[in-house]
Amino acid sequence: RVLFRSVVEDTLKALQDLAHAVRKAAGTRVIAITGSAGKTTTKETIAEFLSARYRVVKNKGNLNNHIGLPLSLLQLRSKPDVAVMELGMNHSGEISTLVAIAEPDVRVWTNVGDAHLGFFASPDAIADAKAEILERATPDTLLVYNADDPRVTARIGAFIGRTRSFGIAAPADVRAEQVEDRGVRGMRAQITTRAGDATLDTPLLGRGNLANVLAATAVGIDFGVSLDDMVARASRLTPADRRGAVRRLRDGIILI
């Protein structure tokens, strides 16, 4: 066995450069997800939907920062068809760095909320930082965005690529109507898409998770996954670790 050692001035920069080189050489289509909430659930759902047709890798857990993302991209050495990567941030400029490393073909922007408000002057400042997901796009780049979030829709006008929207209240390319909140049994809705309409059931809880499933559906349609396949897989989704799991305890107690 031969061991190689290389001395670098900046180990973090070297890791990021290595991950970028692996990404470029792999020929894998990369999907990047940002947002204040729902990134991990959206990542898991997109990966589940696309696995109907493709070999898919994704971040393990939420390894999504300036160290975790490069480590996750090293999975592309196996040259999968698709990589689904969430991008996390605490400060302005961090999403920009991650976009430069990953060069995503598809960007998904779930929402803007109050997460990390301690590091920013206002929710609008958070939205400006999240909008770094729009950088380095080409005309072929796809943006999937939340049509119900005014801070998102206010910032996508200069995006030079293709766009697809999802939503519940606003008109959208993938929209949920006749929404039924079924408590701990999850959600049901009629969804309308350019690929057809369907009844969608998911055990994931709440309208926030329904929006995450809609985002994944929009991505799946662009990748040519059939609506029937996605509806079937949506009915079997399970919550990501510590994200809305339902536990039925003794004496009729339900823990979420």
Side-chain angles (χ1 to χ4, degrees):
R1 186 174 61 173
V2 179
L3 299 178
F4 294 92
R5 184 178 69 173
S6 177
V7 178
V8 298
E9 293 182 1
D10 185 332
T11 53
L12 176 58
K13 180 67 163 56
L15 173 65
Q16 294 173 345
D17 288 346
L18 176 61
H20 183 249
V22 169
R23 183 266 180 272
K24 294 290 286 184
T28 299
R29 294 183 70 184
V30 176
I31 301 168
I33 305 159
T34 194
S36 296
K39 292 187 295 298
T40 299
T41 299
T42 302
K43 174 199 68 181
E44 295 290 335
T45 306
I46 291 172
E48 175 63 22
F49 285 2
L50 295 188
S51 66
R53 287 192 60 179
Y54 303 96
R55 291 185 303 114
V56 181
V57 298
K58 60 190 178 183
N59 310 75
K60 290 180 173 63
N62 61 346
L63 290 174
N64 61 18
N65 64 5
H66 58 297
I67 298 172
L69 176 70
L71 292 174
S72 298
L73 286 172
L74 294 181
Q75 297 177 87
L76 273 62
R77 289 175 294 174
S78 64
K79 297 190 176 182
D81 300 315
V82 184
V84 188
M85 300 282 138
E86 61 176 277
L87 310 184
M89 55 146 256
N90 291 314
H91 300 88
S92 178
E94 292 178 343
I95 295 293
S96 182
T97 296
L98 301 181
V99 167
I101 296 168
E103 290 192 20
D105 304 285
V106 178
R107 294 99 185 279
V108 181
W109 192 353
T110 61
N111 50 49
V112 176
D114 293 338
H116 312 304
L117 191 57
F119 299 111
F120 292 91
S122 68
D124 281 325
I126 295 174
D128 290 337
K130 297 290 186 185
E132 294 167 11
I133 192 72
L134 308 177
E135 295 176 1
R136 298 175 179 264
T138 73
D140 292 328
T141 305
L142 174 66
L143 170 68
V144 174
Y145 70 93
N146 188 344
D148 291 337
D149 192 318
R151 288 192 174 95
V152 173
T153 58
R155 287 165 172 79
I156 64 170
F159 185 70
I160 67 170
R162 301 180 296 121
T163 61
R164 293 286 184 269
S165 59
F166 64 92
I168 299 171
D173 296 304
V174 176
R175 185 181 185 190
E177 301 174 338
Q178 302 177 43
V179 177
E180 297 179 37
D181 299 282
R182 301 188 298 161
V184 294
R185 293 183 297 133
M187 304 296 298
R188 172 177 293 157
Q190 301 298 313
I191 61 170
T192 61
T193 81
R194 61 187 178 89
D197 303 340
T199 300
L200 183 142
D201 287 284
T202 180
L204 301 183
L205 306 185
R207 296 193 177 212
N209 273 327
L210 177 59
N212 298 333
V213 175
L214 296 178
T217 302
V219 173
I221 289 171
D222 198 78
F223 276 72
V225 179
S226 79
L227 187 57
D228 288 343
D229 278 343
M230 290 189 284
V231 167
R233 288 169 180 260
S235 70
R236 302 190 296 267
L237 291 172
T238 56
D241 190 32
R242 297 185 296 276
R243 287 169 171 81
V246 177
R247 299 288 182 261
R248 299 179 185 275
L249 309 180
R250 294 181 302 174
D251 303 321
I253 294 171
I254 297 175
L255 172 67
I256 302 174

